Amino acid sequence: MLFTQVFPAGSNRNKIFTIAWILVFGFAIFGVVAELLVGDICPKNNVGMPLCYISLLLALCVMTLFQLLIKLERNNANIS
């Protein structure tokens, strides 16, 4: 996902980012579901919270920020 940010804005960059994000999101959601169904699957932090929950939250935050970036790029393109 980080590698795609060096490319200029375009549909290929968005597609590559989305594919990479889906992989990360897939692992995170699998961990969360396994943690909820089986329990004690994911490693825990010092507070005792499973790290797969944090991974899922970070994946969702990254996609939200990427969507905001796309929106800003479109607005800047329309202004110019």
Side-chain angles (χ1 to χ4, degrees), residues 13-59:
R13 181 184 81 169
N14 295 349
K15 288 176 187 174
I16 293 169
F17 178 89
T18 303
I19 290 169
W21 181 83
I22 287 171
L23 289 171
V24 170
F25 180 77
F27 283 121
I29 200 74
F30 177 79
V32 168
V33 169
E35 181 71 26
L36 292 173
L37 294 178
V38 178
D40 291 333
I41 297 292
C42 300
K44 295 178 177 28
N45 63 7
N46 294 339
V47 182
M49 175 183 246
L51 295 177
C52 52
Y53 296 161
I54 296 170
S55 295
L56 181 62
L57 178 65
L58 287 174

Side-chain angles (χ1 to χ4, degrees), residues 56-67:
L56 181 62
L57 178 65
L58 287 174
L60 293 172
C61 287
V62 165
M63 182 50 88
T64 301
L65 290 173
F66 187 70
Q67 292 300 321

